[in-house]
Amino acid sequence: MSSKNHSKLCDLQRGLATLFTLSAMTTAMLHARTAYAADAEADAGVAQTMSMVTISAGRPTSLPTQIPTTIEGITAAQIERSINVVDAEDALKYFPSLNVRKRYIGDYDHAVLASRASGTGNSARSLVYADGILLSNLLGNGATFTPRWGMVTPDEIERVDVLYGPFSAAYPGNSAGAVVDYLTRMPTSLEAHARLSGFSQGFKQYGTNERFAGRQGSLSVGNKAGDLSWWVSLSHLDNDGQPIAFANKLVSAGAPGKGGTPVTGAVADKNPSNADWLILGDTNQIHTVQDHAKIKLAYDITPTVRASYTLGWWKNDADRHVNSYLRDSAGNSVTSGVINVAGRQYTLTPADFAPATGELEHWMQGLSLKSHTKGEWDWELAVSNYDYKKDEVRTPTVFLSTPGAKVGTLTDASGSGWSTLAAKGIWHPYTDNSHIVDFGVQRDSFRLRTLVSNTGEWTSATAGTKVSSFNGDTRLESVYAQDTWRFAQNWKTTTGGRLERWEAYNGSLGSSTSTKKFAERSETSFSPKFALSHELDDNWTVKASAGRAVRYPTVSELFQGAIIGDTLMNNDPNLKPERSVTTELTAERKLEKGLLRATYFHETTHDALYSQRNVNVTPNVTNIQNVGLIRTKGLELAAQADDVLWTGLELNASATYTDSTIIDNPNFPASLGKEQPRVPKQRATLLASYHPTDVWSVSLGARYSGKQWGTLDNSDPNGSNYTGVSSYFVTDARLRYHFDKQWSASIGIDNIGNKKYWAFHPYTQRTFIAELQFDMR
């Protein structure tokens, strides 16, 4: 690390003194009082929850734990006693270098996962699975292509593991950032679970000062009888999120004069570029009602071969409300027409205060046949499908205040989805397991079907005349192999590679009067992988990993745009794939009951896919383009400890310094030398959990993120407002009490300090959460 970067890291440590005082105490006492082994009781399933995971009991993670690289994990028992988990993604709150952009409870279309070298605008640079079924929405890349977190309920989580970086040949190039694996419960005897929870937040921002609340209930039951085990779960969520968007007008856009309706209530503010603007009201206050059901079956055909089937259903009815701050002289709300604010005239458009409704019904299925002999050969066959059975969004296109106004648009993405097919093998050529060979073939297919139509009645009418359409398919066919070899005492290596053939076809883009079809494309790539570890002694291990990842363009990046006249706008069907080379070097210190880890990581990404302005064409065009080169390097520190100071106190802490810089970008030279959007230089987490007995537990958590940018040219220095991206320091707390073996209750607070922070939209402010839970096992 350069002296300049070392100085910045020191500044980070000083600036986060509050967060790391406790962590420093932990480090000082690790030799005497900390823990490396995982929880030997309720947490049975992992002997080590930091770095390379070793399975000692229970159902193992599907991640390739034999590869000597960085894997972090958390178990259901740890989640239950230390984290306020309402949505499945909450389990990732305190993982090193990770951040989920969850704006409110039940956020179904913007909760993107960010990793070491990828921000919350790069959803396609990570992978999320549940029991081997792909949840990542790789139909696109961006805020609206969030993983389908709603297909996993918190009650069914058995463990969550994360593989950092593209170091396994078993995963496609979307693993450049991280691979998240949710392992859900499968009973070995009769068990039943029920949970009721409620939550409430007071939200104050601009002209909004209200309390928003919600509730959640879930019920699950499962059993194993002979060779058949089954699980059925139901959940219901009803929540009012805080407003996440705000109608606005630049002051400079107002025409001086006395025309228009004089109004009051506009809030003066500055936008992220520090230009003066007016906030006219809040919009996108989402009331979401979500229902989820899942059936899981497993049948032991033989003692070593199991067939498994999962069927998941998720339904969401969402209403997006608006609220104007503007009032005329009589005190009436104003949402349309020409208005006058402080001697300037502005014209309100239907988009300024446009409500919307959404009706979504998605289905997920997965079937696998898997052997687990632990002998010379094991294998697996798996197929899955995710289907947008119904996916409709409705919006008015005229002022609702206009008498008789009803018309609008219907955006229908029904029929979109993805499917996967895989055949995998594991070969142990030697009885001492000195070699473990993984190999397989895979096919991942993605289909985008989007039709935008006019409607006579925007809330309920059937589709009328066509406005636009976006359609297309991509397919990725892959073969891979990797060999993990303990070639000498205390030495292990993994070498492998992945050969991929990508195709894009059936692409079309339509307007109301014409449709353009795109030629088929195909490309082939090879991604080598390598990892090496050496145990210096009983306590110290060093590891090195390297991997190439090719992230191909998604369907929407290729085909979703517009046609104006006869000109194709806003998309480029000839985009190049992203090509990343990632390396990391890790040193681990194992102690009696704990682990310290330091990881240096480095990534170069050629042809990164970003939406930007192309200054080389006239007029300038803003669309998704290839950015020549982004280079990211950084240092990640992590510590885990049990029984610190006294029995039952667990500590997990992490700190990450990242330098992510745009090195080459011919289409937008103003971005050269600037920081990659939404990748902060500093990140840190701390989670302290105390459970002296099985009766009660208490936890305190903290999450920190440094300054971030929302634009490629870093032209948005004012991040603490709407459309900005801000730093934050947030603390959370949780108290759980067991009345007996079956009944328990908990109370929690997220964002104790009521911090106001932003990632384009505002995050939740101080939120209170209460739970009552029943468990029969």
Side-chain angles (χ1 to χ4, degrees):
M1 180 181 293
S2 70
S3 60
K4 179 180 179 181
N5 288 344
H6 177 73
S7 175
K8 290 181 178 179
L9 183 58
C10 291
D11 290 341
L12 164 63
Q13 293 170 329
R14 287 191 293 269
L16 300 177
T18 301
L19 181 60
F20 287 101
T21 297
L22 188 54
S23 180
M25 292 171 58
T26 303
T27 304
M29 295 180 291
L30 277 172
H31 282 283
R33 302 305 305 263
T34 56
Y36 174 66
D39 222 326
E41 307 144 350
D43 294 352
V46 200
Q48 177 182 337
T49 58
M50 302 285 287
S51 186
M52 184 176 173
V53 178
T54 303
I55 304 302
S56 60
R59 296 177 66 206
T61 174
S62 69
L63 296 181
T65 57
Q66 77 277 9
I67 298 177
T69 192
T70 303
I71 296 179
E72 299 273 1
I74 190 170
T75 66
Q78 292 170 319
I79 294 170
E80 184 178 85
R81 64 175 173 255
S82 60
I83 305 177
N84 298 317
V85 174
V86 182
D87 299 308
E89 62 267 35
D90 293 333
L92 302 174
K93 280 182 183 177
Y94 302 101
F95 275 73
S97 303
L98 298 187
N99 174 45
V100 178
R101 182 183 177 249
K102 175 186 164 182
R103 303 167 299 171
Y104 59 92
I105 291 173
D107 190 358
Y108 59 93
D109 62 352
H110 276 70
V112 174
L113 174 66
S115 55
R116 289 169 175 169
S118 303
T120 52
N122 289 313
S123 62
R125 282 178 56 86
S126 60
L127 292 170
V128 179
Y129 294 91
D131 299 320
I133 300 174
L134 180 66
L135 298 184
S136 288
N137 185 351
L138 301 181
L139 295 174
N141 178 51
T144 57
F145 296 96
T146 181
R148 310 318 300 164
W149 307 106
M151 282 296 184
V152 178
T153 62
D155 293 346
E156 65 176 330
I157 296 174
E158 185 165 308
R159 57 177 299 107
V160 188
D161 297 297
V162 177
L163 169 66
Y164 288 76
F167 303 123
S168 171
Y171 298 103
N174 307 90
S175 64
V179 180
V180 177
D181 176 44
Y182 283 85
L183 183 72
T184 66
R185 297 187 59 79
M186 205 62 195
T188 57
S189 60
L190 179 63
E191 60 179 84
H193 310 269
R195 183 172 69 158
L196 293 175
S197 60
F199 22 87
S200 175
Q201 69 155 322
F203 183 80
K204 185 176 182 180
Q205 185 66 55
Y206 299 128
T208 303
N209 186 3
E210 295 184 44
R211 181 160 291 276
F212 300 93
R215 58 190 183 275
Q216 184 184 57
S218 63
L219 175 66
S220 56
V221 60
N223 196 6
K224 188 176 191 301
D227 295 327
L228 176 66
S229 53
W230 56 271
W231 174 276
V232 177
S233 61
L234 302 169
S235 68
H236 176 79
L237 170 71
D238 187 330
N239 183 50
D240 274 301
Q242 79 281 5
I244 55 175
F246 299 88
N248 59 82
K249 298 289 183 182
L250 285 170
V251 172
S252 60
K258 297 182 179 180
T261 302
V263 296
T264 59
V267 178
D269 192 30
K270 290 184 179 294
N271 73 3
S273 299
N274 278 323
D276 292 321
W277 67 356
L278 300 173
I279 303 297
L280 310 180
D282 64 57
T283 64
N284 241 355
Q285 187 275 304
I286 301 175
H287 177 214
T288 178
V289 178
Q290 300 178 19
D291 292 292
H292 169 259
K294 183 179 287 185
I295 298 174
K296 295 185 292 184
L297 303 172
Y299 183 74
D300 295 322
I301 300 174
T302 72
T304 60
V305 177
R306 168 173 282 199
S308 301
Y309 174 72
T310 298
L311 175 64
W313 171 79
W314 177 80
K315 185 177 185 296
N316 181 24
D317 293 323
D319 290 309
R320 299 173 181 259
H321 303 286
V322 299
N323 172 44
S324 175
Y325 301 156
L326 304 177
R327 297 293 183 270
D328 61 18
S329 58
N332 300 312
S333 176
V334 177
T335 59
S336 64
V338 179
I339 61 172
N340 192 293
V341 181
R344 284 182 174 267
Q345 299 172 210
Y346 305 87
T347 300
L348 299 178
T349 69
D352 288 323
F353 291 103
T357 64
E359 294 182 69
L360 291 76
E361 183 181 353
H362 293 185
W363 289 83
M364 176 186 77
Q365 296 187 75
L367 177 65
S368 69
L369 188 65
K370 185 175 183 178
S371 76
H372 48 95
T373 66
K374 305 301 181 184
E376 183 178 359
W377 290 95
D378 273 313
W379 50 270
E380 179 181 6
L381 300 174
V383 60
S384 71
N385 182 64
Y386 193 98
D387 180 35
Y388 285 33
K389 184 69 174 178
K390 183 177 184 179
D391 199 289
E392 297 180 352
V393 175
R394 296 172 176 272
T395 307
T397 54
V398 297
F399 293 112
L400 294 183
S401 57
T402 303
K406 294 182 179 181
V407 300
T409 59
L410 168 62
T411 301
D412 188 353
S414 304
S416 300
W418 55 89
S419 59
T420 67
L421 177 65
K424 307 175 184 179
I426 303 176
W427 178 36
H428 299 81
Y430 304 107
T431 57
D432 62 357
N433 281 333
S434 58
H435 275 280
I436 302 175
V437 180
D438 295 90
F439 56 93
V441 295
Q442 299 173 348
R443 185 180 72 180
D444 300 335
S445 302
F446 302 89
R447 59 190 182 277
L448 177 69
R449 304 291 183 265
T450 305
L451 174 64
V452 182
S453 305
N454 291 309
T455 60
E457 161 50 66
W458 76 273
T459 60
S460 60
T462 58
T465 58
K466 173 182 169 183
V467 176
S468 60
S469 63
F470 321 106
N471 298 294
D473 296 77
T474 61
R475 180 168 54 231
L476 186 67
E477 296 175 328
S478 314
V479 295
Y480 72 90
Q482 58 193 13
D483 177 20
T484 300
W485 177 26
R486 188 173 291 278
F487 62 90
Q489 186 175 6
N490 301 327
W491 285 90
K492 179 188 284 189
T493 185
T494 298
T495 55
R498 184 179 182 89
L499 180 64
E500 298 175 320
R501 176 178 171 79
W502 171 82
E503 295 177 281
Y505 55 100
N506 290 338
S508 68
L509 174 61
S511 68
S512 59
T513 58
S514 64
T515 298
K516 286 185 175 293
K517 295 186 177 181
F518 304 108
E520 295 184 6
R521 287 181 57 193
S522 64
E523 293 193 28
T524 302
S525 63
F526 179 73
S527 299
K529 316 286 184 178
F530 175 77
L532 177 69
S533 70
H534 177 48
E535 299 173 5
L536 300 177
D537 55 33
D538 291 341
N539 297 321
W540 282 98
T541 301
V542 294
K543 305 174 184 179
S545 305
R548 184 178 191 254
V550 179
R551 201 280 276 180
Y552 285 99
T554 61
V555 189
S556 68
E557 287 173 315
L558 293 169
F559 304 132
Q560 187 163 321
I563 301 174
I564 299 179
D566 194 45
T567 304
L568 187 66
M569 303 292 289
N570 303 328
N571 75 311
D572 180 0
N574 299 307
L575 289 170
K576 301 176 184 177
E578 292 185 351
R579 294 166 288 117
S580 299
V581 176
T582 304
T583 57
E584 71 170 36
L585 179 63
T586 295
E588 291 179 351
R589 170 64 172 170
K590 178 174 45 173
L591 299 130
E592 182 187 355
K593 289 185 177 181
L595 182 71
L596 292 176
R597 175 175 61 82
T599 299
Y600 173 78
F601 55 91
H602 186 280
E603 177 182 292
T604 57
T605 299
H606 292 268
D607 295 319
L609 291 166
Y610 265 102
S611 178
Q612 67 173 6
R613 182 162 51 95
N614 187 344
V615 301
N616 296 320
V617 297
T618 303
N620 293 167
V621 173
T622 297
N623 61 1
I624 297 171
Q625 302 166 32
N626 289 111
V627 174
L629 175 63
I630 298 177
R631 183 180 63 210
T632 304
K633 53 187 177 181
L635 178 65
E636 180 180 272
L637 306 175
Q640 180 267 331
D642 296 341
D643 298 337
V644 181
L645 292 177
W646 51 83
T647 301
L649 178 59
E650 299 176 354
L651 294 179
N652 285 272
S654 70
T656 306
Y657 170 77
T658 306
D659 180 7
S660 188
T661 306
I662 300 170
I663 305 300
D664 180 41
N665 191 10
N667 289 349
F668 192 30
S671 66
L672 295 181
K674 302 302 174 61
E675 297 177 24
Q676 184 182 179
R678 302 198 183 187
V679 179
K681 283 188 175 294
Q682 305 96 4
R683 277 175 281 198
T685 64
L686 175 65
L687 181 62
S689 176
Y690 181 50
H691 57 110
T693 70
D694 292 335
V695 175
W696 67 278
S697 62
V698 62
S699 67
L700 179 66
R703 296 169 281 136
Y704 170 80
S705 175
K707 169 66 181 175
Q708 302 179 54
W709 304 94
T711 57
L712 283 163
D713 61 351
N714 298 175
S715 59
D716 53 333
N718 184 15
S720 297
N721 50 28
Y722 178 51
T723 73
V725 187
S726 66
S727 62
Y728 59 83
F729 179 79
V730 179
T731 55
D732 314 312
R734 179 176 174 84
L735 174 64
R736 186 171 185 84
Y737 181 77
H738 285 262
F739 301 104
D740 54 34
K741 290 184 178 180
Q742 294 182 333
W743 288 95
S744 62
S746 65
I747 55 174
I749 307 175
D750 279 350
N751 193 359
I752 296 173
N754 205 28
K755 173 70 175 179
K756 295 182 179 180
Y757 60 114
W758 303 77
F760 194 97
H761 304 286
Y763 284 100
T764 52
Q765 296 178 15
R766 184 188 295 118
T767 303
F768 296 90
I769 303 170
E771 300 173 0
L772 178 64
Q773 187 162 327
F774 172 83
D775 297 286
M776 183 191 74
R777 298 177 184 173

